[in-house]
C-alpha cells in the first residue's frame, strides 16, 4: 500500500511526521508500509522497555482478555492488586494509584501533595520544580515543567510552581516559604537533554525537604522501571522520597502509569481521585508481566553491563569525531554533538539503506538513546557503526 493511500489528514496535526506508516515491530526492530526495517533506538521514548511486541506482553493480553477487561474502578480486580503489591514490595512506598499516562500520574502527585498541605501545612500548595524539567502536557503539568516557551502556549499558567536549578541546592532553599508543600523533580531530565541529578544533590534535597517538613516527589515516568540500571532511579542516591510517579516502561507499550506514596502521605478521600480506565485488569496484567521480567535474576545486572558498554562506545565516537562527550544514567544516554546537527543525523539515519536507524534529538546539539532494556550487544554495535557513518557523512558536508 502506497503512503498516498493512507488518509493521514483524518488525524489531527500535532507534529511534523515523515511519510512512513509503521506496520510491524519485534524487539529492537520496526518495519514500515514498504517493508523497510529500522533499528529503533527511540522505543516509543523509553516506553517499550522490553522492545516491540515481546512475548510476555502478548501472552498477558491474550490470557487476561479472555477473563476480564474492565470491571470498573469501583471494584477491586486481581491483577491491579498483584501489581500494586509487587511495586510496594520492591520500593519504599506503601500505596499505589494506577493511571493511564505519566502526565495523569504527575497530575495526581500534584493533587496529593496539595491535599497533604491542606491537612498538614496550613494550606501550603506551592511545589518547587526545575528549569528544563518535563512533567507532562496537562495544564498543571505543563506549568510544573520548565520547558522554555511553555509558559505562554496556553496562558495563563496554573500558579504555584516556582523554578529552581538542577544540582543547585541553594536555588531550591531560597524558594522555600510557608506556602511550599513539596519539591518535584526528574532524577534525570530526559527532555531537557539527559541531565542527571547528582547523588550529592539528591541526598541534600532529601535532607532539605525533611528539615522544612515538605514532601519530595520524584517523577520517574522516564527513569523508572529499570531504565537507569536500578529498578527506580531514586535508589541510585540511596534516599527514600515521599511520592513517586511511573509511566512509559511500566506498561512496556500499553497505556499504564502509577502514582506511589508512603502511607503517611496517602490522604485522598472518596471523590478526590479516580479515572474510568484506571487500574483495569487488562493493562495491569501487562504491568505484572513486565515487572516479572525486570525482576528476573540477572536482568538488572545486564542493563548495567550494557549501559557501561554504550557509555564507553559513545565516548570513543565523541573522541573520533571531535564531539563533546556523553552523559546519562543506565540506558538513558545522550551524545553531546557540539553543534546543531541533531536533526540532520535523525533524518539521515532514517533514510539509510538497506535498513534505517531511528534516533532522537531532544535538543539540536544532542542525541538521546533509549533502547529496549534487553537490547543485545550486537544491536548496540550495529547502531554505533551506523552512527559512526552518519557522523562522518554529516561532518564532511559541514566542512564543504
Amino acid at each position: 500500500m502506497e503512503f498516498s493511500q493512507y488518509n493521514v489528514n483524518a488525524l489531527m496535526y500535532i507534529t511534523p511526521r515523515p511519510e512512513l506508516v509503521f506496520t510491524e515491530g519485534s524487539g529492537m526492530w520496526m518495519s514500515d508500509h514498504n517493508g523497510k526495517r529500522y533499528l529503533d533506538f527511540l522505543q516509543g521514548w523509553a516506553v517499550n522497555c522490553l522492545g516491540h511486541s515481546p512475548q510476555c506482553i502478548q501472552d498477558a493480553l491474550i490470557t487476561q482478555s479472555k477473563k476480564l477487561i474492565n470491571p470498573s474502578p469501583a471494584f477491586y480486580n486481581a491483577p491491579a492488586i498483584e501489581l500494586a503489591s509487587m511495586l510496594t514490595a520492591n520500593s519504599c512506598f506503601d500505596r499505589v494509584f494506577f493511571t493511564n499516562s505519566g502526565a495523569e500520574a504527575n497530575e495526581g502527585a500534584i493533587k496529593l501533595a496539595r491535599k497533604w498541605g491542606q491537612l498538614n501545612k496550613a494550606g501550603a500548595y506551592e511545589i518547587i520544580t526545575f528549569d528544563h524539567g518535563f512533567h507532562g502536557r496537562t495544564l498543571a503539568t505543563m506549568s510544573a515543567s520548565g520547558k522554555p516557551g511553555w509558559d505562554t502556549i496556553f496562558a495563563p499558567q496554573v500558579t504555584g510552581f516556582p523554578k529552581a536549578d538542577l544540582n543547585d541546592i541553594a536555588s531550591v532553599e531560597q524558594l522555600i516559604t510557608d506556602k511550599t508543600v513539596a519539591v518535584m523533580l526528574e532524577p534525570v531530565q530526559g527532555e531537557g537533554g539527559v541531565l542527571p541529578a547528582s547523588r550529592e544533590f539528591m541526598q541534600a534535597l532529601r535532607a532539605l525537604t525533611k528539615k522544612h517538613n515538605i514532601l519530595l516527589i520524584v517523577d520517574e515516568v522516564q527513569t523508572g522501571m529499570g531504565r537507569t540500571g536500578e529498578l527506580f532511579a531514586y535508589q541510585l542516591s540511596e534516599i527514600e522520597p515521599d511520592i513517586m510517579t511511573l509511566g512509559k516502561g511500566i506498561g512496556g507499550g500499553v497505556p499504564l502509569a502509577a502514582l506511589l506514596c508512603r502511607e503517611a502521605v496517602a490522604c485522598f478521600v472518596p471523590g478526590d481521585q479516580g479515572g474510568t480506565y484506571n487500574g483495569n485488569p487488562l493493562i495491569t496484567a501487562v504491568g505484572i508481566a513486565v515487572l516479572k521480567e525486570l525482576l528476573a535474576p540477572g536482568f538488572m545486572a545486564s542493563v548495567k553491563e550494557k549501559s557501561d558498554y554504550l557509555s564507553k562506545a559513545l565516548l570513543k565516537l565523541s573522541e573520533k569525531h571531535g564531539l563533546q562527550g556523553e552523559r546519562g544514567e543506565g540506558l538513558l544516554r545522550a551524545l553531546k554533538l557540539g553543534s546543531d546537527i541533531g536533526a540532520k543525523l535523525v533524518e539521515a539515519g532514517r533514510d539509510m539503506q538497506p535498513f534505517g536507524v531511528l534516533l532522537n534529538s531532544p535538543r539540536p546539539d544532542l542525541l538521546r538513546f533509549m533502547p529496549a532494556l534487553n537490547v543485545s550487544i550486537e544491536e548496540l554495535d550495529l547502531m554505533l557503526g551506523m552512527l559512526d557513518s552518519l557522523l562522518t557523512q554529516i561532518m564532511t558536508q559541514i566542512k564543504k
Side-chain angles (χ1 to χ4, degrees):
M1 188 170 173
E2 296 296 324
F3 179 78
S4 60
Q5 294 177 277
Y6 289 93
N7 183 21
V8 296
N9 290 327
L11 296 171
M12 187 176 292
Y13 178 81
I14 58 167
T15 188
R17 292 167 171 154
E19 293 189 350
L20 302 173
V21 178
F22 285 108
T23 58
E24 294 183 33
S26 178
M28 283 293 295
W29 293 87
M30 278 204 297
S31 299
D32 68 15
H33 64 287
N34 291 315
K36 181 180 174 181
R37 300 175 71 228
Y38 301 79
L39 184 60
D40 184 6
F41 269 75
L42 277 73
Q43 290 294 334
W45 287 285
V47 168
N48 309 320
C49 64
L50 300 175
H52 292 283
S53 302
Q55 191 63 50
C56 66
I57 291 183
Q58 294 182 45
D59 293 343
L61 286 170
I62 292 170
T63 301
Q64 186 60 44
S65 68
K66 294 178 179 179
K67 294 179 179 179
L68 183 64
I69 292 177
N70 187 16
S72 160
F75 304 104
Y76 292 117
N77 72 77
I81 295 169
E82 182 177 353
L83 180 56
S85 299
M86 292 173 69
L87 289 168
T88 55
N90 287 281
S91 72
C92 65
F93 303 100
D94 305 300
R95 299 279 185 161
V96 181
F97 174 75
F98 291 114
T99 69
N100 309 303
S101 69
E104 188 185 349
N106 284 334
E107 187 94 7
I110 292 166
K111 290 166 63 178
L112 183 62
R114 287 188 172 188
K115 183 63 180 281
W116 184 86
Q118 292 172 7
L119 298 173
N120 298 281
K121 294 280 289 182
Y125 66 93
E126 288 189 346
I127 299 175
I128 298 170
T129 56
F130 291 82
D131 278 334
H132 306 293
F134 182 89
H135 299 292
R137 295 181 180 275
T138 66
L139 285 175
T141 55
M142 285 184 72
S143 300
S145 300
K147 193 168 182 175
W150 273 27
D151 56 339
T152 58
I153 297 178
F154 301 111
Q157 283 196 305
V158 177
T159 59
F161 299 101
K163 303 295 187 295
D165 298 319
L166 192 69
N167 292 323
D168 182 350
I169 196 66
S171 74
V172 180
E173 190 160 20
Q174 70 185 10
L175 292 175
I176 295 176
T177 70
D178 58 358
K179 295 180 180 178
T180 306
V181 71
V183 178
M184 181 177 186
L185 82 162
E186 304 157 274
V188 181
Q189 291 184 336
E191 290 293 312
V194 192
L195 301 167
S198 70
R199 311 295 196 266
E200 296 77 14
F201 177 72
M202 292 294 287
Q203 291 171 0
L205 194 58
R206 177 70 283 192
L208 181 66
T209 53
K210 284 186 175 180
K211 173 184 174 183
H212 291 276
N213 188 31
I214 57 180
L215 303 177
L216 178 58
I217 306 169
V218 287
D219 172 352
E220 297 228 25
V221 170
Q222 188 163 135
T223 60
M225 304 306 290
R227 177 58 53 181
T228 65
E230 296 289 345
L231 191 58
F232 308 115
Y234 76 81
Q235 295 168 329
L236 293 168
S237 302
E238 299 180 341
I239 63 166
E240 293 189 352
D242 301 295
I243 297 173
M244 177 174 71
T245 57
L246 297 173
K248 296 185 183 290
I250 188 176
V254 304
L256 175 64
L259 164 63
L260 296 85
C261 71
R262 294 189 301 106
E263 184 66 37
V265 185
C267 57
F268 281 148
V269 297
D272 284 349
Q273 188 66 316
T276 306
Y277 302 106
N278 295 28
N280 76 71
L282 182 68
I283 301 305
T284 50
V286 172
I288 293 168
V290 169
L291 186 50
K292 283 181 176 179
E293 290 288 321
L294 301 189
L295 294 174
F299 188 94
M300 294 310 304
S302 73
V303 174
K304 293 177 182 178
E305 175 189 348
K306 286 175 285 193
S307 67
D308 184 58
Y309 184 90
L310 179 57
S311 174
K312 290 176 180 176
L314 289 174
L315 280 175
K316 288 181 181 178
L317 269 185
S318 177
E319 293 170 6
K320 177 178 178 179
H321 294 281
L323 308 180
Q324 295 186 348
E326 72 92 43
R327 63 174 174 243
E329 296 282 5
L331 286 174
L332 176 59
R333 312 211 68 85
L335 179 64
K336 298 186 285 183
L337 301 170
S339 59
D340 292 351
I341 60 172
K344 292 181 179 179
L345 288 166
V346 169
E347 184 175 358
R350 194 174 60 239
D351 292 342
M352 289 182 86
Q353 296 292 343
F355 51 84
V357 60
L358 301 179
L359 301 170
N360 173 246
S361 179
R363 288 181 7 191
D365 62 347
L366 195 88
L367 289 181
R368 175 173 50 167
F369 304 91
M370 302 163 284
L373 301 183
N374 53 2
V375 62
S376 68
I377 295 294
E378 292 74 20
E379 288 164 334
L380 289 173
D381 283 339
L382 180 56
M383 181 279 293
L384 291 161
M386 297 172 79
L387 181 55
D388 188 11
S389 298
L390 291 170
L391 285 166
T392 299
Q393 172 189 329
I394 299 298
M395 294 299 190
T396 301
Q397 291 174 358
I398 292 173
K399 290 176 182 177
K400 289 181 179 179

Short mmCIF file of all heavy atoms in Angstrom, two decimals, residues 106-132:
data_model
loop_
_atom_site.label_atom_id
_atom_site.label_comp_id
_atom_site.label_asym_id
_atom_site.label_seq_id
_atom_site.Cartn_x
_atom_site.Cartn_y
_atom_site.Cartn_z
N ASN A 106 1.47 12.38 37.26
CA ASN A 106 2.06 13.60 37.82
C ASN A 106 0.99 14.58 38.29
O ASN A 106 1.15 15.25 39.31
CB ASN A 106 2.98 14.27 36.79
CG ASN A 106 4.31 13.56 36.66
OD1 ASN A 106 4.76 12.91 37.59
ND2 ASN A 106 4.94 13.67 35.51
N GLU A 107 -0.11 14.67 37.55
CA GLU A 107 -1.23 15.50 37.98
C GLU A 107 -1.76 14.98 39.33
O GLU A 107 -2.07 15.77 40.23
CB GLU A 107 -2.34 15.44 36.93
CG GLU A 107 -3.49 16.39 37.18
CD GLU A 107 -3.35 17.72 36.47
OE1 GLU A 107 -2.42 17.88 35.67
OE2 GLU A 107 -4.17 18.62 36.74
N GLY A 108 -1.82 13.66 39.47
CA GLY A 108 -2.25 13.08 40.73
C GLY A 108 -1.28 13.38 41.86
O GLY A 108 -1.70 13.63 43.00
N ALA A 109 0.01 13.38 41.56
CA ALA A 109 1.02 13.70 42.58
C ALA A 109 0.87 15.14 43.06
O ALA A 109 1.01 15.43 44.26
CB ALA A 109 2.42 13.47 42.01
N ILE A 110 0.58 16.05 42.13
CA ILE A 110 0.37 17.45 42.49
C ILE A 110 -0.86 17.58 43.39
O ILE A 110 -0.83 18.26 44.42
CB ILE A 110 0.22 18.30 41.21
CG1 ILE A 110 1.54 18.35 40.43
CG2 ILE A 110 -0.27 19.72 41.54
CD1 ILE A 110 1.41 18.87 39.01
N LYS A 111 -1.94 16.91 43.02
CA LYS A 111 -3.16 16.95 43.83
C LYS A 111 -2.92 16.35 45.22
O LYS A 111 -3.38 16.90 46.23
CB LYS A 111 -4.27 16.18 43.12
CG LYS A 111 -4.80 16.86 41.87
CD LYS A 111 -5.64 15.93 41.01
CE LYS A 111 -6.88 15.46 41.71
NZ LYS A 111 -7.71 14.58 40.82
N LEU A 112 -2.20 15.23 45.26
CA LEU A 112 -1.95 14.57 46.54
C LEU A 112 -1.11 15.47 47.45
O LEU A 112 -1.39 15.60 48.65
CB LEU A 112 -1.25 13.24 46.31
CG LEU A 112 -0.99 12.38 47.55
CD1 LEU A 112 -2.30 11.99 48.24
CD2 LEU A 112 -0.19 11.12 47.18
N ALA A 113 -0.08 16.10 46.89
CA ALA A 113 0.77 16.99 47.69
C ALA A 113 -0.03 18.18 48.22
O ALA A 113 0.11 18.57 49.39
CB ALA A 113 1.95 17.48 46.85
N ARG A 114 -0.88 18.74 47.36
CA ARG A 114 -1.68 19.90 47.81
C ARG A 114 -2.70 19.48 48.88
O ARG A 114 -2.94 20.23 49.84
CB ARG A 114 -2.38 20.54 46.62
CG ARG A 114 -1.42 21.32 45.72
CD ARG A 114 -2.15 22.11 44.65
NE ARG A 114 -1.23 22.99 43.93
CZ ARG A 114 -1.61 23.90 43.04
NH1 ARG A 114 -2.90 24.03 42.74
NH2 ARG A 114 -0.72 24.66 42.44
N LYS A 115 -3.27 18.29 48.73
CA LYS A 115 -4.20 17.80 49.76
C LYS A 115 -3.46 17.60 51.08
O LYS A 115 -3.96 17.97 52.16
CB LYS A 115 -4.83 16.49 49.30
CG LYS A 115 -5.88 15.93 50.27
CD LYS A 115 -7.07 16.88 50.39
CE LYS A 115 -8.13 16.36 51.36
NZ LYS A 115 -8.98 15.34 50.74
N TRP A 116 -2.25 17.04 51.01
CA TRP A 116 -1.43 16.85 52.22
C TRP A 116 -1.10 18.20 52.84
O TRP A 116 -1.11 18.35 54.06
CB TRP A 116 -0.16 16.10 51.85
CG TRP A 116 0.72 15.76 53.01
CD1 TRP A 116 0.64 14.66 53.82
CD2 TRP A 116 1.83 16.54 53.50
NE1 TRP A 116 1.63 14.70 54.78
CE2 TRP A 116 2.37 15.84 54.60
CE3 TRP A 116 2.41 17.74 53.11
CZ2 TRP A 116 3.46 16.32 55.32
CZ3 TRP A 116 3.51 18.23 53.83
CH2 TRP A 116 4.02 17.53 54.92
N GLY A 117 -0.84 19.20 52.00
CA GLY A 117 -0.56 20.54 52.50
C GLY A 117 -1.75 21.17 53.20
O GLY A 117 -1.60 21.89 54.20
N GLN A 118 -2.95 20.89 52.70
CA GLN A 118 -4.16 21.39 53.36
C GLN A 118 -4.30 20.80 54.76
O GLN A 118 -4.71 21.48 55.70
CB GLN A 118 -5.39 21.04 52.52
CG GLN A 118 -5.49 21.77 51.20
CD GLN A 118 -6.62 21.23 50.34
OE1 GLN A 118 -7.41 20.39 50.77
NE2 GLN A 118 -6.69 21.70 49.09
N LEU A 119 -3.94 19.55 54.89
CA LEU A 119 -4.11 18.84 56.15
C LEU A 119 -2.97 19.05 57.13
O LEU A 119 -3.17 18.98 58.35
CB LEU A 119 -4.28 17.34 55.89
CG LEU A 119 -5.49 16.92 55.04
CD1 LEU A 119 -5.42 15.44 54.72
CD2 LEU A 119 -6.79 17.27 55.76
N ASN A 120 -1.77 19.29 56.60
CA ASN A 120 -0.58 19.28 57.46
C ASN A 120 0.27 20.54 57.43
O ASN A 120 1.15 20.69 58.27
CB ASN A 120 0.32 18.09 57.07
CG ASN A 120 -0.35 16.75 57.26
OD1 ASN A 120 -0.44 16.24 58.37
ND2 ASN A 120 -0.84 16.19 56.16
N LYS A 121 0.03 21.44 56.46
CA LYS A 121 0.89 22.61 56.31
C LYS A 121 0.08 23.90 56.15
O LYS A 121 0.48 24.80 55.42
CB LYS A 121 1.82 22.42 55.11
CG LYS A 121 2.85 21.31 55.25
CD LYS A 121 4.07 21.75 56.08
CE LYS A 121 4.91 22.74 55.31
NZ LYS A 121 6.11 23.14 56.07
N ALA A 122 -1.06 23.98 56.81
CA ALA A 122 -1.87 25.20 56.81
C ALA A 122 -2.22 25.68 55.41
O ALA A 122 -2.22 26.87 55.11
CB ALA A 122 -1.15 26.30 57.58
N GLY A 123 -2.47 24.72 54.51
CA GLY A 123 -2.89 25.09 53.16
C GLY A 123 -1.74 25.37 52.20
O GLY A 123 -1.98 25.89 51.11
N ALA A 124 -0.52 25.03 52.57
CA ALA A 124 0.62 25.21 51.65
C ALA A 124 0.35 24.45 50.35
O ALA A 124 -0.16 23.32 50.38
CB ALA A 124 1.91 24.71 52.30
N TYR A 125 0.69 25.07 49.22
CA TYR A 125 0.34 24.46 47.93
C TYR A 125 1.44 24.55 46.87
O TYR A 125 1.39 23.87 45.85
CB TYR A 125 -0.92 25.12 47.37
CG TYR A 125 -0.72 26.56 46.99
CD1 TYR A 125 -0.38 26.92 45.69
CD2 TYR A 125 -0.85 27.57 47.93
CE1 TYR A 125 -0.17 28.25 45.34
CE2 TYR A 125 -0.65 28.90 47.60
CZ TYR A 125 -0.31 29.24 46.30
OH TYR A 125 -0.10 30.54 45.97
N GLU A 126 2.44 25.39 47.09
CA GLU A 126 3.48 25.57 46.06
C GLU A 126 4.40 24.35 46.00
O GLU A 126 4.79 23.79 47.03
CB GLU A 126 4.31 26.82 46.34
CG GLU A 126 3.57 28.10 46.07
CD GLU A 126 4.47 29.33 46.13
OE1 GLU A 126 5.62 29.21 46.63
OE2 GLU A 126 4.04 30.39 45.66
N ILE A 127 4.72 23.95 44.79
CA ILE A 127 5.63 22.83 44.55
C ILE A 127 6.81 23.35 43.74
O ILE A 127 6.64 23.83 42.60
CB ILE A 127 4.93 21.69 43.80
CG1 ILE A 127 3.75 21.16 44.64
CG2 ILE A 127 5.92 20.56 43.48
CD1 ILE A 127 2.92 20.11 43.93
N ILE A 128 7.98 23.31 44.32
CA ILE A 128 9.19 23.77 43.63
C ILE A 128 9.57 22.74 42.57
O ILE A 128 9.73 21.55 42.87
CB ILE A 128 10.35 23.98 44.62
CG1 ILE A 128 10.00 25.07 45.64
CG2 ILE A 128 11.65 24.33 43.88
CD1 ILE A 128 10.98 25.18 46.80
N THR A 129 9.69 23.18 41.34
CA THR A 129 10.13 22.32 40.25
C THR A 129 11.39 22.94 39.63
O THR A 129 11.97 23.86 40.22
CB THR A 129 9.02 22.12 39.21
OG1 THR A 129 8.57 23.40 38.73
CG2 THR A 129 7.82 21.38 39.82
N PHE A 130 11.80 22.46 38.46
CA PHE A 130 13.12 22.84 37.96
C PHE A 130 13.09 23.29 36.50
O PHE A 130 12.32 22.77 35.69
CB PHE A 130 14.10 21.66 38.12
CG PHE A 130 14.41 21.37 39.56
CD1 PHE A 130 13.54 20.60 40.32
CD2 PHE A 130 15.54 21.89 40.15
CE1 PHE A 130 13.79 20.36 41.65
CE2 PHE A 130 15.81 21.65 41.49
CZ PHE A 130 14.94 20.89 42.24
N ASP A 131 13.94 24.28 36.21
CA ASP A 131 14.13 24.69 34.82
C ASP A 131 14.54 23.48 34.00
O ASP A 131 15.33 22.64 34.46
CB ASP A 131 15.22 25.78 34.73
CG ASP A 131 14.68 27.16 35.05
OD1 ASP A 131 13.47 27.37 34.87
OD2 ASP A 131 15.47 28.01 35.51
N HIS A 132 14.01 23.39 32.79
CA HIS A 132 14.27 22.31 31.84
C HIS A 132 13.60 20.99 32.23
O HIS A 132 13.79 19.98 31.56
CB HIS A 132 15.78 22.09 31.63
CG HIS A 132 16.51 23.34 31.24
ND1 HIS A 132 16.30 23.96 30.04
CD2 HIS A 132 17.42 24.08 31.92
CE1 HIS A 132 17.06 25.04 29.97
NE2 HIS A 132 17.75 25.14 31.09
#
